[in-house]
Amino acid sequence: MQIQVLKSKIHRVKITQAELNYVGSITIDKDLMDAANLIENEKVQIVNVNNGERLETYVITGERGSGQVCLNGPAARKAQVGDVVIIISYAGMEMEEAKNHKPVLIFPDDRNKII
């Protein structure tokens, strides 16, 4: 039996942009993606600390070193620029593997840079 466990978390980054007229997704600075072990097109959950909204979408690679965290398409209505969000990914694992799994957790600074 597989269970879903926390794979990666980018804890408390700020939304830098919201683009309503876009196909959809979240664009994330490549440095943040690498640090959190996220890949392009990976499914993520976005939790908005400011308003309690939760949504699922997929990752698009943003410019490295930009600090960019941009909600695109309909998701842009779920946050405002400056809102603080948590970006979470999960992985399916067998129970025994999950017992030893260590998720990747990153805690960027207030400019969305790796500390």
Side-chain angles (χ1 to χ4, degrees):
M1 170 179 61
Q2 282 206 337
I3 62 169
Q4 296 293 311
V5 297
L6 175 66
K7 177 187 147 281
S8 306
K9 179 167 77 165
I10 302 175
H11 191 75
R12 298 183 63 91
V13 288
K14 287 184 182 175
I15 297 295
T16 60
Q17 193 176 352
E19 292 294 330
L20 183 60
N21 296 313
Y22 193 85
V23 176
S25 65
I26 186 168
T27 305
I28 303 173
D29 177 329
K30 180 68 167 138
D31 285 343
L32 293 170
M33 288 175 59
D34 289 348
N37 196 28
L38 294 173
I39 62 169
E40 187 158 75
N41 298 314
E42 184 171 351
K43 180 180 177 180
V44 290
Q45 181 180 45
I46 312 300
V47 181
N48 188 322
V49 174
N50 293 79
N51 65 19
E53 290 281 357
R54 299 172 81 89
L55 65 108
E56 292 180 342
T57 190
Y58 61 93
V59 175
I60 291 179
T61 303
E63 181 182 345
R64 185 178 295 282
S66 66
Q68 181 181 32
V69 177
C70 177
L71 282 174
N72 301 304
R77 296 218 185 262
K78 301 290 187 178
Q80 296 180 20
V81 171
D83 280 1
V84 174
V85 298
I86 301 168
I87 302 170
I88 305 164
S89 71
Y90 301 93
M93 296 181 192
E94 295 297 324
M95 184 69 76
E96 289 307 309
E97 180 184 9
K99 288 178 182 179
N100 296 312
H101 172 70
K102 301 291 185 237
V104 175
L105 310 174
I106 65 165
F107 301 87
D109 66 15
D110 62 355
R111 296 174 314 156
N112 295 347
K113 302 293 183 187
I114 306 299
I115 297 175

